Amino acid sequence: QVIYLGSLSKLFGPSIKIGWLLAPSPLIASLASAKQRMDVETNIFSQLLADSALRSSTYEPNHSRLIAELRQRGAAFTTSLKPLTADWQVRPIKGGLYTWLTWRHHLLTRRDWEPFLKAGLLVAPAFLFSNDTMSMRINYTRLEAEHLTDFVQRLATVTKKLKTKEP
């Protein structure tokens, strides 16, 4: 059995809580019932906004432009990190807003992530989502070209600090 989920939050922002589900009818009925118990109603303004945007004649060209820009940012991010790939495994970007970097050396602890904050790098260590202390999630789409060099330099500085802690 397959369940397919989708949402508009990546297109319109996280405050747009509109999604869809393709699944067997009994499961849909059960999930719809659960949603009705959790939510009093779905925000009509968000639905009208999404409907208007999706019907707009500018939606397709803007969407295509956004996809091209995100591909460009993903490629620039990956290229910029090449000097650090001996220390960080970079997950290939195939879409989405995030990518993952995994430390290739000694085991990191939660405390080892403090230098990132001190360097002004607001990354999401994987331990925020799981027990993994070796990886971090980065929203590469927010890094404009003029900030990418600074990000990589700061990451290189933190990387050197982490390497000096190796056993």
Side-chain angles (χ1 to χ4, degrees):
Q1 296 205 8
V2 175
I3 299 172
Y4 177 76
L5 300 169
S7 92
L8 296 178
S9 61
K10 286 187 180 176
L11 288 174
F12 298 125
S15 62
I16 301 294
K17 304 285 187 201
I18 300 173
W20 56 90
L21 166 72
L22 296 173
S25 295
L27 180 59
I28 290 175
S30 175
L31 291 172
S33 176
K35 184 190 181 315
Q36 287 173 349
R37 286 191 302 271
M38 291 187 313
D39 295 339
V40 176
E41 63 184 44
T42 301
N43 184 324
I44 190 70
F45 179 72
S46 296
Q47 293 177 59
L48 291 171
L49 179 68
D51 181 65
S52 175
L54 291 170
R55 291 179 190 269
S56 169
S57 61
T58 60
Y59 172 77
E60 279 300 325
N62 285 341
H63 186 248
S64 296
R65 180 189 50 76
L66 176 62
I67 289 172
E69 184 175 328
L70 290 178
R71 281 191 183 123
Q72 212 171 25
R73 285 187 186 202
F77 182 81
T78 301
T79 300
S80 295
L81 287 179
K82 283 205 187 295
L84 298 173
T85 56
D87 302 308
W88 295 97
Q89 176 187 356
V90 181
R91 182 180 293 171
I93 298 172
K94 297 179 183 174
L97 305 177
Y98 304 97
T99 191
W100 289 86
L101 275 63
T102 302
W103 182 244
R104 293 183 183 268
H105 305 295
H106 64 283
L107 186 65
L108 297 177
T109 66
R110 290 175 185 239
R111 183 159 274 197
D112 289 324
W113 292 90
E114 289 177 13
F116 289 86
L117 287 175
K118 290 178 182 171
L121 289 172
L122 298 178
V123 299
F127 67 77
L128 297 174
F129 313 104
S130 69
N131 289 327
D132 176 14
T133 59
M134 301 296 287
S135 301
M136 65 178 152
R137 185 179 82 171
I138 297 176
N139 184 336
Y140 70 92
T141 65
R142 301 275 182 164
L143 283 169
E144 307 228 358
E146 60 268 19
H147 300 126
L148 188 53
T149 302
D150 182 48
F151 173 84
V152 172
Q153 287 173 345
R154 290 179 190 214
L155 181 58
T157 300
V158 171
T159 298
K160 285 179 188 173
K161 287 180 184 175
L162 290 174
K163 287 175 80 170
T164 62
K165 289 186 166 190
E166 282 190 299

